[in-house]
Structure formats: structure tokens, C-alpha cells
Amino acid sequence: MTEIVVRGLYIGRFQPYHYGHQSVLERISKQVDEIIIGVGSAQMSHDINNPFTAGERIMMITRSLEDLDCRYYVIPIEDLQRNALWVAHVTSISPPFQRVFSSNPLVVQLFSERNIPVESPEMYERKSHSGTEIRQRMLSGGDWQKLVPPAVVDVIEEIKGIERLQRIAGTDDE
Ligand code: ATP
Ligand code: MG
């Protein structure tokens, strides 16, 4: 008989990947057999709220989770400009999953309406550990490095991510 593998889906934009995400994934890894990490808004990059490409975000995630004791798959998920069809869109490209983990209210609403229950993991130091706060610190020269795993610092350095973000935040007005 084939064994039943329980897979959990975790979706985020990961702009950038931080210790809040890592702490959730460590907890999820104890509750399922395999994890699917969906990289949302995959088509976006070089934008003040979405500075990093899907490939760069996948590098951040894969390198940071090297020691995770659970098999995982990272899949890019492009936006669909139709929220009502979004769950079907995700399901159509993801490996099969039985559980969803998210605290994002829209994600919770859309899956719940399709009768797929969503578990919302507890937040980990949310005030500082949020993509918005980290991008803000990157722009203002604040200390963002301690909020992300060392592998994320390495990736951002390699791609000159801070220079990118600071430049695209500028204007061409005099
Ligand atoms: P942004 O501010 O850009 O929205 P974010 O920190 O919310 O960034 P997302 O990629 O939007 O990051 O989040 C992916 C998932 O991780 C969401 O379900 C979100 O609620 C959750 N999450 C974000 N920060 C934390 C945290 N500190 N602790 C636990 N979960 C978190
Ligand atoms: Mg968010």
C-alpha cells in the first residue's frame, strides 16, 4: 500500500525572507511530512515593495533552510488578477497538499471559501520581523541584517540588493 504523505502549503511574497518565516517553517516541519513553499507575486521584482525576483527569493529560502529536517519544494506563483479564481490557480500548479498555513487575511479568506481549512501560525516578533519593516530599514540604512538568516544577507550582497532598492526608490526629479 502506498503511504499517505501529508503536505502543507505555506505562501508568502518573501520580500525578503526573514526569521519570522523561518520560525513558522520550523514549526510546520514538525506537523507535516513535506512542505510546499509558494513564492507569491512571482512575476514582480525591481519595485519598491517587491525588490527581489522569484529566483532571488528562492535562493534566499533554499539556502536558509539547508538544515531543515523536512523535505520541501519551492514553487513560484504568479499573481492572477482575479481573487475569486486564485485558489484554483494555486492548486493547478502546486504539488498536492492537504493543509494550508497562512496568517494573511486574504489567503485565509480565499482558501476557507473553498472549504480548505487554513491554520494561522503564531507571529514571531512581528513588529520587527516583517518584510515592510525590513525594506524600510534597507532604505534608511537601518540594521536589517539581524532580522534575516545569514544566507539572506549573502544573497542580497551578491545581487547588490540594497543599491537596487535605494536606486529604484529614487526619482528623476531635480
Ligand atoms: P510584507 O510586510 O511585505 O507583507 P511579510 O513579513 O508579511 O512581508 P509575507 O511574505 O507577506 O511577509 O508573509 C508570508 C507569510 O508569513 C504570511 O502568512 C505572513 O502572515 C507570515 N509572516 C510574516 N511575518 C511573520 C512573523 N514575524 N511571524 C510569523 N509569520 C509571519
Ligand atoms: Mg505580508
Side-chain angles (χ1 to χ4, degrees):
M1 223 176 72
T2 45
E3 231 176 289
I4 295 174
V5 180
V6 176
R7 273 182 225 97
L9 172 69
Y10 181 57
I11 295 189
R13 287 178 19 259
F14 309 114
Q15 293 280 12
Y17 182 79
H18 56 64
Y19 277 129
H21 304 134
Q22 181 105 336
S23 115
V24 169
L25 283 163
E26 280 165 3
R27 278 177 269 159
I28 296 175
S29 73
K30 297 186 174 63
Q31 300 177 46
V32 298
D33 301 313
E34 297 185 346
I35 304 175
I36 302 153
I37 303 170
V39 176
S41 300
Q43 82 287 358
M44 301 282 280
S45 73
H46 295 78
D47 171 292
I48 185 161
N49 295 316
N50 297 278
F52 309 116
T53 68
E56 290 162 352
R57 290 177 269 159
I58 289 172
M59 279 169 74
M60 295 175 198
I61 295 166
T62 308
R63 290 195 194 177
S64 300
L65 292 177
E66 219 154 57
D67 296 328
L68 191 74
D69 197 16
C70 183
R71 179 176 292 150
Y72 65 91
Y73 311 93
V74 188
I75 59 166
I77 300 175
E78 294 196 4
D79 286 330
L80 187 74
Q81 305 303 338
R82 273 192 186 229
N83 287 339
L85 291 179
W86 185 76
V87 170
H89 169 63
V90 171
T91 310
S92 77
I93 45 174
S94 173
F97 56 88
Q98 295 80 15
R99 298 172 68 175
V100 177
F101 299 86
S102 180
S103 305
N104 180 292
L106 178 61
V107 173
V108 174
Q109 182 63 25
L110 294 176
F111 276 109
S112 308
E113 283 187 21
R114 289 284 164 271
N115 300 317
I116 301 173
V118 184
E119 297 157 62
S120 296
E122 230 171 84
M123 284 290 163
Y124 172 85
E125 298 180 12
R126 175 66 167 162
K127 239 184 141 152
S128 50
H129 291 77
S130 94
T132 304
E133 169 68 22
I134 293 170
R135 292 190 301 278
Q136 199 50 51
R137 291 189 188 195
M138 287 172 166
L139 277 174
S140 63
D143 183 6
W144 58 271
Q145 288 92 338
K146 65 166 190 254
L147 306 176
V148 304
V152 173
V153 178
D154 290 346
V155 170
I156 290 174
E157 207 168 292
E158 178 188 336
I159 63 173
K160 298 192 169 55
I162 304 303
E163 291 91 320
R164 178 193 297 173
L165 183 57
Q166 290 180 346
R167 182 172 283 161
I168 61 182
T171 78
D172 54 5
D173 295 340
E174 285 183 58

